[in-house]
C-alpha cells in the first residue's frame, strides 16, 4: 500500500510520518500494493487538530476522520475505525455469499450418494 501524507497549514515531521507508516502497515494486508492511503492533517483550530484517513479500493471508499488534541492517539483510533469498516464489509459479503448457496434437498443428497457407490 502506498501512503500519501498531506499537511494543511502544518508540517508533517519525520516522527509523524514514521508513526503513521507503522500504524497504516496493519491495514496493508487487506489491500493491493498499488492502493493509495491518503492521510490528511489540518492545523490546530480551537485547540484541536483534524485528521482523516481515506482509502479508495475497488469502488469502495473507507474513510475515518477525527478532531483531536493528541495526534498519535487519533491515529490509533482511526486505524481501528477502518478495520471495523473492513470487518463489516467482510461479514456482509459472507452473508450474501451464503444466501446464494442453495442447500440441496434430502432426496438430491441421497441420489448423489447412490451415484457415487
Amino acid at each position: 500500500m502506498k501512503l500519501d501524507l498531506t499537511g494543511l497549514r502544518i508540517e508533517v515531521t519525520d516522527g509523524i510520518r514514521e508513526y503513521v507508516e507503522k500504524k497504516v502497515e496493519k491495514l496493508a494486508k487487506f489491500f493491493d500494493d498499488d492502493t493509495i492511503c491518503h492521510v490528511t492533517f489540518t492545523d490546530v483550530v480551537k485547540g484541536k487538530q483534524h485528521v482523516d484517513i481515506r482509502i479508495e479500493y475497488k469502488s469502495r471508499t473507507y474513510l475515518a476522520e477525527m478532531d483531536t488534541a493528541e495526534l498519535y492517539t487519533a491515529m490509533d483510533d482511526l486505524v481501528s475505525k477502518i478495520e471495523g469498516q473492513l470487518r463489516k464489509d467482510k461479514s456482509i459479503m459472507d452473508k450474501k455469499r451464503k444466501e446464494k448457496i442453495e442447500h440441496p434437498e434430502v432426496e438430491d443428497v441421497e441420489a448423489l450418494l447412490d451415484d457415487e457407490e
Side-chain angles (χ1 to χ4, degrees), residues 12-109:
V12 179
T13 63
D14 291 335
I16 293 172
R17 179 177 301 278
E18 289 174 14
Y19 191 78
V20 171
E21 286 174 354
K22 179 181 161 188
K23 290 300 175 180
V24 171
E25 193 175 287
K26 292 172 60 176
L27 299 173
K29 62 184 173 188
F30 298 109
F31 301 104
D32 297 336
D33 291 338
D34 58 343
T35 303
I36 299 174
C37 175
H38 301 279
V39 181
T40 307
F41 304 98
T42 307
D43 192 18
V44 177
V45 177
K46 296 183 182 177
K48 296 203 174 186
Q49 185 174 24
H50 184 79
V51 182
D52 68 37
I53 297 177
R54 178 184 305 267
I55 301 172
E56 295 179 10
Y57 180 70
K58 292 186 180 179
S59 74
R60 175 77 169 104
T61 301
Y62 299 95
L63 174 67
E65 55 188 351
M66 179 180 283
D67 290 325
T68 183
E70 179 58 42
L71 178 71
Y72 296 102
T73 306
M75 283 308 303
D76 294 338
D77 293 342
L78 293 175
V79 169
S80 295
K81 285 182 181 182
I82 297 286
E83 287 175 337
Q85 292 174 18
L86 289 166
R87 276 193 295 278
K88 181 178 176 182
D89 277 358
K90 183 179 179 200
S91 67
I92 289 172
M93 290 184 344
D94 287 345
K95 184 177 179 182
K96 286 181 181 180
R97 187 181 69 228
K98 287 179 183 178
E99 288 175 356
K100 289 182 181 181
I101 296 174
E102 296 179 2
H103 298 287
E105 298 296 323
V106 174
E107 296 170 3
D108 295 338
V109 172

